[in-house]
Amino acid sequence: MKSDKLVVGNMKMNLLASDVSLYLKEFHFDEQQDQVVICPSTIYIPYFLKQPYKVGIQNLFFRDKGAYTGEISVSQAASLGIDYAIIGHSERRIYFKESDQDINKKIISALKYGFHIILCIGETAEEKGLLKTARVLKRQLLNDLRNVEKEFFSQIIIAYEPVWAIGNDVTPTMVEIEETVQYIKGIILQYFGYEDIKVLYGGSVNSKNIEELNQIPNVSGFLVGGASINAEEFLKIIEVAVKK
């Protein structure tokens, strides 16, 4: 029996053009998989469209059009038929200095075009060491979702990605993840009045730990980074999370 969990592959800045056709052949489904989302590098998105799964974009700009060299507008992405958008990933926050205010503008703009938003939040190792995890997550949620109307929350998915776990082959304990996810759900209910928010876990998710991670009762799915680049590895993760 299939679960209702969502599995999102964030391929980041990986694969060459010559790799894409091979990946598409290996990453194959015989039937529609609406619970699987692939977010390739933007220049490769057209290759992934019309496949039997959803496609997302890794970043968007909040302006609709104009002289913003290198950016991709929400309307441009929507015109391709893209369903999902990752917004607020820690790599965007850290390397590109995106503020909560920038992220908030992107979310509000993308929601108006019908996107499902995957909002990434998470604490750094330093913040965790200083016992600031709850404070950081609350700040990100309240600022990133400021002025988002309740009717749009069905389009919002929270991805909890502790920054210190991304790409390090390290994950929090199952209890830590469960408690943090419950805290996130509580913040959304308390401040926005929405009780059915989906929360994904991300951070070194792979075929070795997916069985254990999949046992966490309040996790709605997974945001997979490096492991999504390998089609065989990613299929193993999906087999556990979605099909069991």
Side-chain angles (χ1 to χ4, degrees), residues 11 14-15 23 26-27 38 207 224-238:
M11 304 179 82
N14 290 294
L15 300 187
Y23 187 93
E26 294 179 345
F27 192 72
I38 290 282
S207 63
V224 184
S228 70
I229 301 164
N230 183 303
E232 182 179 0
E233 172 83 353
F234 195 30
L235 286 170
K236 290 179 181 177
I237 294 170
I238 293 166

Side-chain angles (χ1 to χ4, degrees), residues 124-136:
T124 65
E126 180 181 5
E127 290 165 340
K128 176 180 172 60
L130 293 172
L131 305 180
K132 291 183 177 180
T133 295
R135 189 187 313 176
V136 169

Side-chain angles (χ1 to χ4, degrees), residues 100-101 104-105 107-108 139-149 153 192:
D100 286 330
Q101 290 70 33
N104 177 246
K105 290 177 183 178
I107 289 173
I108 290 175
R139 187 206 75 224
Q140 291 175 333
L141 288 168
L142 297 186
N143 290 339
D144 297 346
L145 297 173
R146 186 182 302 276
N147 296 325
V148 173
E149 297 177 11
F153 271 81
F192 301 99

Side-chain angles (χ1 to χ4, degrees), residues 6-187:
L6 184 71
V7 180
V8 182
N10 177 17
M11 304 179 82
K12 307 188 181 185
M13 196 176 70
N14 290 294
L15 300 187
L16 300 178
S18 57
D19 300 322
V20 173
S21 60
L22 178 61
Y23 187 93
L24 290 171
K25 289 179 182 177
E26 294 179 345
F27 192 72
H28 176 73
F29 298 99
D30 293 325
E31 57 185 26
Q32 189 67 31
Q33 297 289 331
D34 290 337
Q35 294 163 248
V36 176
V37 183
I38 290 282
C39 301
S41 296
T42 304
I43 58 173
Y44 299 144
I45 284 177
Y47 297 102
F48 287 84
L49 293 171
K50 298 184 180 179
Q51 299 293 328
Y53 42 79
K54 300 297 184 181
V55 176
I57 191 167
Q58 297 177 18
N59 183 43
L60 288 168
F61 192 54
F62 57 86
R63 299 290 187 192
D64 199 49
K65 60 181 179 180
Y68 301 99
T69 300
E71 294 292 342
I72 297 165
S73 74
V74 174
S75 59
Q76 287 177 319
S79 71
L80 282 176
I82 298 170
D83 299 290
Y84 289 79
I86 296 174
I87 297 179
H89 194 280
S90 61
E91 291 159 2
R92 299 293 313 178
R93 296 177 189 262
I94 295 169
Y95 302 138
F96 300 95
K97 309 304 180 185
E98 287 189 5
S99 66
D100 286 330
Q101 290 70 33
D102 295 329
I103 292 163
N104 177 246
K105 290 177 183 178
K106 292 182 179 188
I107 289 173
I108 290 175
S109 180
L111 286 171
K112 292 177 181 177
Y113 277 87
F115 279 89
H116 288 86
I117 307 299
I118 301 166
L119 169 61
C120 299
I121 62 172
E123 79 281 13
T124 65
E126 180 181 5
E127 290 165 340
K128 176 180 172 60
L130 293 172
L131 305 180
K132 291 183 177 180
T133 295
R135 189 187 313 176
V136 169
L137 299 183
K138 181 179 180 181
R139 187 206 75 224
Q140 291 175 333
L141 288 168
L142 297 186
N143 290 339
D144 297 346
L145 297 173
R146 186 182 302 276
N147 296 325
V148 173
E149 297 177 11
K150 186 177 178 180
E151 65 185 272
F152 286 113
F153 271 81
S154 61
Q155 295 170 231
I156 295 173
I157 300 158
I158 308 299
Y160 170 56
E161 283 202 307
V163 180
W164 50 271
I166 298 174
N168 291 327
D169 209 23
V170 176
T171 59
T173 67
M174 303 304 103
V175 172
E176 284 177 322
I177 295 173
E178 184 176 357
E179 291 180 347
T180 304
V181 169
Q182 200 55 45
Y183 174 76
I184 291 167
K185 289 175 179 278
I187 292 293

